[in-house]
Amino acid sequence: MIIVGSIEEIIFRNETNGYTVAMMEHGDEYSAVVGKFLQVAVGQTFRLEGRFVTNSRYGEQFAFDSYEQVYPTTKSGIKKYLGSGLIKGVGPVTAKAIVDRFGDKTLEVIEFTPEKLVEIRGISKNKAEQIGSAFRELKAVQNAVLFLQEYNISINLALKIYEQYGAKTVETVKENPYKLVEDIDGVGFLTADNIAGSMGVGRNSPFRVRAGLLHVLGEAEVKNGHTFLPREKLFEDAQKLLNFYDETLFESVLSELALEKVVTTFKSYPYDVVMLTKTYYLENSIAQKLAYLICSSKEESLDISREIEAFESKNNIKLHKTQKEAVERAINSGVSVITGGPGTGKTTIVKCIIEILEALGKKVALMAPTGRASKRLSESTGREAKTIHRALGIDFSSKKFVHNEKHPLEYSAVIVDEVSMVDVSLMSSLLKALARDCKLILVGDKDQLPSVGAGNVLEDILKSGLVSVTQLSHIYRQDSNSLIITNAHAINCGEMPVLDNKSSDFFFESKTTPAEIKSSIVEMVTRRLKDFLKLDPSKIQVLAPMKNGEAGVESLNRSLQARLNPPSLGKAEIVVGQTIFRQGDKVMQTSNNYDLTWKRKSNFMLEEGAGVFNGDIGYIDAINRETGEVLVLFEDGRECFYPRTELSQLSLAYAITIHKSQGSEFDAVIIPAIAGPSLILNRNLLYTAVTRAKRAVVIVGERKNLRRMISNKYTLKRYTMLTPLLKEAYKKVAMLFGE
């Protein structure tokens, strides 16, 4: 349905996302209209396409999906439009004077011959040009947005595109819609391909091949963690995406991308490597800095046996030989790695290292990739620990880290826990910020899942053979009636865990069908485990292997939400895609967002900052029904307002994937043992899930599915270049140090 009319009153306007509630006069009627306007002011005339809907609170409204501005042609309409304030420098008085002079030709004069405006008293030549420029800019923006809306591009994304290309937006997109893939965050290959297809661009267009190759490389990073692809695999995956293969054309386009330094190509046995240049710079910068840190401390060989004895005496413990070696290597090495499973004494070693380094006059920083991991590190060591992001600081204006090679951190030693979670981007940023004489101590479990982001940093460093490594295997922390740690190590060794339900913290419930598994898990969270452990359900975390299916994350979240936070008259809620978010819901941030600002009250002080990160968990404190804004209170005390446009970055978190649980620790963990693809359901995944629990683990499902996961050692190979780059960098740096 289409209505045409003028805006008479603006009831509500969210400038962040354009959402507007306004009153419009159309014909002899007066209606409320709701939707997203790029810009809107009283007096503007629009052609709206949508439908009348009944809102339980506000009555009948016209909800529009698309719109087109209709410029007024009558003197009264033009006067009202110009006086609306949309054009900078023109208010009601000036608008009346201009229309009185030029009549129904006013808009034509402003757009094409603005110099004539000097005929109006009070308008200088400079102001006349400014008015003309402002009107043309406004019209260009409107035209660009309307053009892009034809291809189902949102107003927000259309504005981002316009900011990039300006007045040349329509021309640029028409000439090469695939350029959007490279230039605009949020535009993927499929969006550009749909636009191009509707414009008649051929499937074998070099523009399309270029975008396809870049899309495949980008998806390989985001979805599978690769930092490069072998040329053969790149072309194979591009063929599947583009639905045709022309080796000569593919080679030609790839050569062009390499000449432009968009991609980097080279031979590294046994592969012909192709990687995005920005990713090559990340891995190469890690290699260069690690090589320097390794070589810079070669001459150190401090005898710290007396310091270790003092630590043992103070804490009434006796360190194992391997633990002492780990401490000595950390103190005397530029870069060292301490790796081992739960209960193997990593925390004790870290405490000892901290005390000795501080006794030697070193300033030590403790860091971890996530807020939960840093909080756990702080609690276990009794020292302040920060997320890597927080330690590096984020500049609000540039959205870049404050600390870098030009402004390094003032620490003599940095200890990073849960390092298996750190991807190449974060590791590169951290290393750039370390002083040239800083010690780097990496702590983690090499058998955990690799980082969600691109790279395999910990494994690649271990594979290089250039870093001092201590592998811990002996279990020190284990209660007699506890099985969490023992069973975790059994799983890691390919053995079935003890499932006799006689321990105080490890339980198995046999269920056959996914529906039975889900029903049992819901009862566990809402009643049985809650009562047994005297735990609030918020402390019980369901960790599922997969998102989909009856016992997958999405289905479990819906059922748990219905039981733990059912709808009521007093609770506001909002629908985002297929998800209902309700006041009181447990939610998780699913991607890094450096722009979202937050506030936190701490020690009677108000702290402000920016940045919400993948894996942060919180609760919906309030929902503004009119604006769609949602206030989330995160577990570390940060309060963050999410505009309606950012809500797709949140997901319900009563149940989360095991991948999303990395670096976290929960009082109790419930794991569905389900059937599924061997590419996903492997030993590595189960081990990671079990090691997230502090007080209890409950596995619900079939023993055969559990046995199948434990026997499945398959892990998806990640194509990464850090190991060879590190070896190459070490050779060069070692020569500089005379080795």
Side-chain angles (χ1 to χ4, degrees), residues 494 681-684 708-716:
L681 301 177
N682 56 30
R683 180 190 305 173
N684 197 215
R708 190 177 293 123
M709 287 183 76
I710 293 168
S711 62
N712 180 18
K713 293 175 62 177
Y714 174 82
T715 54
L716 181 67

Side-chain angles (χ1 to χ4, degrees), residues 483-678:
L483 276 179
I484 292 178
I485 293 174
T486 301
N487 277 347
H489 283 271
I491 290 167
N492 200 32
C493 292
E495 302 167 4
M496 280 290 285
V498 176
L499 302 175
D500 58 12
N501 291 343
K502 293 180 180 179
S503 76
S504 62
D505 62 1
F506 203 101
F507 309 97
F508 177 78
E509 178 151 297
S510 179
K511 295 294 177 183
T512 305
T513 68
E516 290 174 339
I517 292 171
K518 181 176 78 168
S519 178
S520 177
I521 288 174
V522 171
E523 285 301 310
M524 286 280 182
V525 175
T526 59
R527 185 176 59 83
R528 294 170 59 194
L529 193 59
K530 164 182 168 285
D531 295 341
F532 177 74
L533 293 174
K534 300 296 187 289
L535 266 182
D536 187 277
S538 64
K539 303 294 184 183
I540 302 171
Q541 187 62 57
V542 179
L543 301 180
M546 297 188 295
K547 283 186 178 181
N548 300 321
E550 185 78 10
V553 166
E554 293 178 358
S555 176
L556 284 163
N557 268 321
R558 286 192 294 270
S559 296
L560 287 165
Q561 182 192 45
R563 286 285 294 274
L564 294 170
N565 191 31
S568 69
L569 290 175
K571 292 178 187 174
E573 58 182 51
I574 188 170
V575 179
V576 180
Q578 301 299 312
T579 303
I580 297 173
F581 289 115
R582 189 172 295 134
Q583 191 174 349
D585 274 337
K586 184 179 183 180
V587 292
M588 172 182 275
Q589 173 74 15
T590 59
S591 60
N592 290 339
N593 187 324
Y594 298 94
D595 297 325
L596 280 176
T597 57
W598 50 261
K599 296 180 181 179
R600 173 169 47 201
K601 295 174 184 176
S602 177
N603 298 323
F604 305 104
M605 299 286 289
L606 182 63
E607 181 184 2
E608 296 183 319
V612 183
F613 304 105
N614 193 354
D616 286 351
I617 291 178
Y619 294 84
I620 294 178
D621 195 54
I623 297 174
N624 187 316
R625 290 186 176 95
E626 283 77 20
T627 66
E629 286 183 316
V630 171
L631 174 62
V632 175
L633 179 60
F634 286 102
E635 292 179 328
D636 61 1
R638 287 172 300 157
E639 294 181 353
C640 182
F641 274 103
Y642 280 74
R644 181 70 173 78
T645 51
E646 305 289 349
L647 292 180
S648 60
Q649 297 176 24
L650 288 175
S651 67
L652 293 175
Y654 301 103
I656 62 175
T657 62
I658 296 170
H659 281 88
K660 289 291 185 183
S661 74
Q662 289 174 267
S664 297
E665 193 173 59
F666 308 96
D667 285 290
V669 161
I670 303 176
I671 307 162
I674 57 176
S678 58

Side-chain angles (χ1 to χ4, degrees), residues 137 140-141 144-145 148 157-167 169:
E137 173 77 7
V141 173
V145 170
L148 293 169
L157 188 53
L159 280 174
K160 284 176 68 175
I161 296 171
Y162 187 83
E163 286 172 9
Q164 176 74 25
Y165 303 129
T169 297

Side-chain angles (χ1 to χ4, degrees), residues 256-523:
E256 183 181 309
L257 286 167
L259 282 172
E260 294 176 20
K261 297 187 177 179
V262 177
V263 303
T264 297
T265 63
F266 52 89
K267 179 75 176 177
S268 180
Y269 182 82
Y271 303 114
D272 288 319
V273 173
V274 182
M275 55 196 312
L276 294 171
T277 298
K278 62 182 178 62
T279 309
Y280 169 75
Y281 286 151
L282 291 175
E283 282 200 307
N284 196 46
S285 72
I286 294 170
Q288 297 290 335
K289 189 59 176 278
L290 284 176
Y292 184 89
L293 293 175
I294 293 167
C295 293
S296 64
S297 294
K298 283 286 187 180
E299 69 279 1
E300 292 191 36
S301 55
L302 297 174
D303 181 1
I304 56 169
S305 55
R306 297 170 79 177
E307 285 82 357
I308 292 176
E309 288 176 5
F311 176 81
E312 291 175 321
S313 176
K314 176 182 174 183
N315 293 276
N316 194 28
I317 58 173
K318 188 69 178 176
L319 295 183
H320 187 271
K321 179 185 176 184
T322 308
Q323 290 179 305
K324 290 180 181 179
E325 290 173 353
V327 175
E328 290 168 352
R329 288 169 179 162
I331 300 298
N332 287 303
S333 304
V335 182
S336 59
V337 176
I338 301 166
T339 181
T344 55
K346 296 191 295 292
T347 299
T348 302
I349 293 169
V350 169
K351 287 180 179 177
C352 186
I353 292 169
I354 294 169
E355 290 196 15
I356 294 175
L357 285 171
E358 289 181 341
L360 294 171
K362 306 286 188 181
K363 188 177 179 183
V364 184
L366 300 181
M367 301 181 195
T370 67
R372 278 180 165 266
S374 64
K375 182 180 179 182
R376 185 151 58 94
L377 180 60
S378 182
E379 290 170 348
S380 63
T381 61
R383 308 295 179 99
E384 182 187 23
K386 297 179 179 179
T387 63
I388 298 173
H389 290 90
R390 188 179 171 203
L392 295 178
I394 298 175
D395 183 274
F396 280 17
S397 57
S398 66
K399 308 303 178 188
K400 295 181 180 179
F401 289 121
V402 172
H403 292 285
N404 49 42
E405 56 267 51
K406 295 179 181 178
H407 185 205
L409 294 162
E410 296 178 352
Y411 296 115
S412 310
V414 168
I415 300 173
V416 182
D417 196 16
E418 294 286 359
V419 73
S420 62
M421 294 180 63
V422 181
D423 60 21
V424 291
S425 178
L426 190 56
M427 180 58 81
S428 174
S429 296
L430 173 61
L431 291 177
K432 285 177 181 177
L434 297 186
R436 294 170 72 85
D437 59 349
C438 183
K439 290 184 181 299
L440 178 64
I441 300 149
L442 304 174
V443 183
D445 186 345
K446 67 178 181 63
D447 296 315
Q448 294 282 353
L449 292 169
S451 59
V452 175
N456 210 350
V457 174
L458 177 58
E459 184 175 322
D460 287 349
I461 290 173
L462 293 173
K463 278 179 8 187
S464 73
L466 298 172
V467 175
S468 174
V469 178
T470 303
Q471 171 68 55
L472 305 172
S473 56
H474 183 74
I475 300 175
Y476 299 94
R477 174 171 56 85
Q478 178 67 64
D479 295 335
S480 59
N481 199 32
S482 171
L483 276 179
I484 292 178
I485 293 174
T486 301
N487 277 347
H489 283 271
I491 290 167
N492 200 32
C493 292
E495 302 167 4
M496 280 290 285
V498 176
L499 302 175
D500 58 12
N501 291 343
K502 293 180 180 179
S503 76
S504 62
D505 62 1
F506 203 101
F507 309 97
F508 177 78
E509 178 151 297
S510 179
K511 295 294 177 183
T512 305
T513 68
E516 290 174 339
I517 292 171
K518 181 176 78 168
S519 178
S520 177
I521 288 174
V522 171
E523 285 301 310

